[in-house]
Amino acid sequence: MKEKYILSLDQGTTTSRAILFDHSGTALYQENRAFAQHYPEPGWVEHDPLEIWSTQLEVTREVITKTGIDTAEIAAIGITNQRETTVVWERSTGKPIANAIVWQCRRTAGICDQLKNKGLEAMVREKTGLLIDAYFSGTKIAWILEHVPGARAKADAGELLFGTIDSWLIWNLTDGRVHVTDYSNAARTMLFNIHTLKWDDDLLAELSIPISMLPDVRPSSEVYGTTTLLGGEIPIGASAGDQQAALFGQCCFQEGMVKNTYGTGCFLLMNTGERPVSSEHGLLTTIAWGLHGRVEYALEGSIFIAGAVVQWLRDELGLIQSASESEAVAKTVENTNGVYVVPAFTGLGTPYWDSYARGTIVGLTRGSNRAHIVRAALEAIAYQTKDVVASMEHDAGIKLAELRVDGGAVMNDFLMQFQADILGRKVVRPQIKETTALGAAYLAGLAVGFYENVDEIKRSWKGDQTFTRVMSEEASQSIYQGWKKAVGTTKGWALDECDTSQ
Ligand SMILES: Nc1ncnc2c1ncn2[C@@H]1O[C@H](COP(=O)(O)OP(=O)(O)O)[C@@H](O)[C@H]1O
Ligand SMILES: O=P(O)(O)OC[C@H](O)CO
């Protein structure tokens, strides 16, 4: 039987998804399942790894049963995932020894301070392309080994395994036969040398992490193994961090091409080709993908809270009933009347890198109302993106021609227009919005010969809507200055409350 489809597994921060693509890159069918977010302490975020696996398996099986396709028609599975989120499990039983520590979790800020106090920043930057921050996996693994009873002894005896979510899914899909990750995920651990493409002994020693825990690091497009859990035997042909997969799905194959994904957070990546570009403004140097025997690099700006501020308006403040309602509410007012929301709920990423910043609403007056706050929350997403673009244009030495956008929040036309206004660059929304899953599908398709090469893939990208600036540059500059002032009030806010000695 001729293979017709690629099945993408997109394991995100808030949902597990499975999407079936045909050869043209059209998403034929998808299933999503939300899972629990755990906040055991202020600033902490956890997921249950077993729930991640069960929801992912359920949606994957449902796609097959509900479409009625034969598994023999699936050329390959591609995996893409929330990055950095850390799972540690027992090699012999496959059981996690703790909840997954999510990328947003700030509990290891104190460990990061200790590394900084030892003067390790330059070394970490040089080897990994990253800053020392609680965002990355390394200090999360160290925390688990330190705090989970018995973990240290088991790790030293070679009984524990670490994985980011891709590794965890591949391990489960292959019944514990395969323990791998890809370059794009390894690059987010703060343990991987992005130049030599090896786990780094010095960093492992600093954090007392035994190398026996770590997965093999492989290209993003390769058959790592097969799964028999879905019926017939299906090759697993790709693994890529979700933001790098979106860069691939947006066909940003040339140096200088940029995409921004508006999901829980916002992640803006520029392809820098075979050249790792280092940054002076808090951008990360990271691996875009390993493909056809070489790696390509990217420059990344990471914003921790984007669409999540809209969830907060809905779930915690009750100001809106649904995420999409934010658009209509924001449009009921002409501006925010001087109100700024800074959603530094889990600190600030690029370009500020402040683990101790916390959120705020400033500029309130007697005339401030619900619509002003909703509008200010949406505008904050665009301002944070502007902060990142300004750093990126400076460090890469180029002016963006356009910003390709994707992710759940890009359906908000108000946000997209405001983004174009505040940025003064074209904002282009593609026809196919599921670019993260699509990127993983393309990478898996390349691994098994479903696609011949990237040129074939490039032809499938099509723009849908382009937003351009209508606001005057002067007005745009003026309100952006207000944002910078608002951000200034959030910095270091939680420093006194956090025990930085852990
Ligand atoms: N119309 C909308 N306007 C603003 N934000 C939205 C809208 N629709 C969805 N979102 C936000 O987008 C996010 C979901 O996007 P998605 O790409 O699925 O995220 P993730 O992969 O991080 O789970 C949520 O945080 C949600 O609040
Ligand atoms: O799950 P998302 O789409 O919010 O992406 C999370 C990022 O990979 C974190 O680095």
Side-chain angles (χ1 to χ4, degrees):
M1 184 180 304
K2 178 103 178 70
E3 291 144 350
K4 299 179 190 149
Y5 312 112
I6 303 279
L7 186 54
S8 261
L9 278 49
D10 179 2
Q11 206 303 305
T13 310
T14 56
T15 57
S16 297
R17 288 176 215 172
I19 307 187
L20 189 71
F21 289 99
D22 68 10
H23 193 270
S24 73
T26 304
L28 299 174
Y29 187 78
Q30 66 165 294
E31 285 287 341
N32 295 349
R33 188 117 329 135
F35 54 87
Q37 308 287 316
H38 302 280
Y39 309 109
E41 307 249 351
W44 291 29
V45 191
E46 295 182 355
H47 294 157
D48 175 353
L50 294 175
E51 196 186 0
I52 285 190
W53 167 235
S54 63
T55 50
Q56 190 61 64
L57 186 61
E58 276 162 29
V59 290
T60 307
R61 285 188 165 146
E62 280 168 25
V63 166
I64 293 171
T65 51
K66 292 196 182 166
T67 54
I69 59 165
D70 191 315
T71 47
E73 294 175 298
I74 301 174
I77 285 174
I79 291 176
T80 182
N81 56 290
Q82 54 166 324
R83 307 165 305 164
E84 300 94 14
T85 297
T86 296
V87 187
V88 175
W89 68 94
E90 288 177 345
R91 189 188 290 273
S92 57
T93 64
K95 282 201 183 125
I97 63 161
N99 265 349
I101 303 184
V102 176
W103 58 277
Q104 295 163 316
C105 186
R106 301 279 96 196
R107 82 182 62 180
T108 58
I111 304 178
C112 293
D113 288 345
Q114 287 168 8
L115 297 177
K116 287 181 200 164
N117 292 340
K118 286 169 98 175
L120 295 177
E121 268 180 297
M123 188 257 264
V124 168
R125 172 115 226 151
E126 163 55 30
K127 289 180 184 233
T128 68
L130 307 175
L131 295 102
I132 297 177
D133 193 85
Y135 177 25
F136 308 109
S137 317
T139 58
K140 299 182 196 290
I141 306 172
W143 191 97
I144 290 174
L145 296 186
E146 196 64 27
H147 289 84
V148 175
R152 164 65 55 200
K154 280 188 189 164
D156 289 343
E159 290 168 17
L160 295 185
L161 299 177
F162 150 77
T164 40
I165 297 295
D166 57 318
S167 300
W168 173 240
L169 294 180
I170 294 170
W171 170 268
N172 281 291
L173 281 165
T174 60
D175 271 327
R177 281 175 288 121
V178 180
H179 185 218
V180 296
T181 190
D182 86 302
Y183 293 124
S184 69
N185 275 295
R188 316 298 297 188
T189 58
M190 219 179 80
L191 302 171
F192 190 69
N193 188 314
I194 60 170
H195 310 285
T196 61
L197 304 180
K198 294 199 164 30
W199 296 116
D200 188 83
D201 291 335
D202 297 335
L203 292 168
L204 292 173
E206 280 299 338
L207 289 165
S208 305
I209 297 172
I211 198 162
S212 58
M213 291 181 73
L214 304 181
D216 276 351
V217 189
R218 309 279 277 272
S220 315
S221 174
E222 182 184 289
V223 176
Y224 313 116
T226 57
T227 184
T228 51
L229 298 182
L230 305 170
E233 195 168 341
I234 310 174
I236 303 168
S239 155
D242 55 9
Q243 303 309 323
Q244 289 93 329
L247 190 70
F248 204 85
Q250 286 272 28
C251 297
C252 293
F253 300 137
Q254 265 132 38
E255 265 184 75
M257 292 183 79
V258 181
K259 72 87 201 179
N260 194 20
T261 301
Y262 298 71
T264 304
C266 253
F267 299 90
L268 199 142
L269 271 74
M270 174 188 282
N271 183 329
T272 65
E274 291 183 64
R275 188 172 63 106
V277 174
S278 61
S279 163
E280 296 160 16
H281 294 92
L283 297 165
L284 308 172
T285 308
T286 203
I287 295 179
W289 44 73
L291 178 66
H292 298 146
R294 63 195 179 106
V295 300
E296 292 197 62
Y297 293 89
L299 206 49
E300 169 172 330
S302 314
I303 297 164
F304 298 150
I305 301 288
V309 74
V310 179
Q311 288 171 303
W312 174 74
L313 294 174
R314 184 192 62 197
D315 302 339
E316 312 302 327
L317 300 192
L319 294 184
I320 48 175
Q321 296 296 314
S322 64
S324 57
E325 195 197 346
S326 62
E327 177 170 353
V329 174
K331 283 178 170 166
T332 61
V333 285
E334 298 233 316
N335 54 50
T336 67
N337 212 8
V339 173
Y340 288 89
V341 172
V342 185
F345 304 146
T346 55
L348 288 169
T350 308
Y352 309 103
W353 292 104
D354 185 343
S355 280
Y356 303 108
R358 290 293 180 269
T360 193
I361 304 177
V362 293
L364 293 171
T365 62
R366 280 292 298 274
S368 305
N369 63 30
R370 157 183 177 248
H372 293 129
I373 294 173
V374 170
R375 185 173 173 125
L378 289 175
E379 290 188 355
I381 302 174
Y383 288 132
Q384 293 185 96
T385 297
K386 160 98 174 169
D387 288 339
V388 170
V389 168
S391 303
M392 196 168 270
E393 290 190 337
H394 183 277
D395 287 346
I398 57 164
K399 191 172 159 188
L400 299 196
E402 64 177 29
L403 183 67
R404 293 187 173 186
V405 297
D406 54 70
V410 301
M411 295 319 291
N412 189 314
D413 285 353
F414 165 77
L415 173 61
M416 292 299 100
Q417 183 55 51
F418 188 77
Q419 186 68 84
D421 283 336
I422 208 71
L423 214 51
R425 307 280 180 277
K426 274 195 292 183
V427 171
V428 187
R429 193 164 62 188
Q431 274 176 17
I432 299 177
K433 314 285 186 299
E434 294 294 348
T435 44
T436 299
L438 181 61
Y442 284 154
L443 286 163
L446 285 166
V448 294
F450 189 71
Y451 296 110
E452 263 175 43
N453 52 43
V454 291
D455 288 332
E456 184 187 355
I457 289 170
K458 204 156 57 184
R459 287 193 286 274
S460 66
W461 190 90
K462 287 185 187 68
D464 175 23
Q465 197 166 343
T466 299
F467 298 83
T468 50
R469 175 184 265 170
V470 291
M471 188 184 284
S472 77
E473 188 165 356
E474 200 186 2
S476 156
Q477 280 296 340
S478 161
I479 53 175
Y480 181 59
Q481 288 315 313
W483 162 257
K484 297 294 259 188
K485 197 167 147 196
V487 170
T489 66
T490 69
K491 290 186 186 166
W493 185 263
L495 197 50
D496 303 337
E497 296 151 36
C498 293
D499 176 3
T500 58
S501 64
Q502 289 183 9

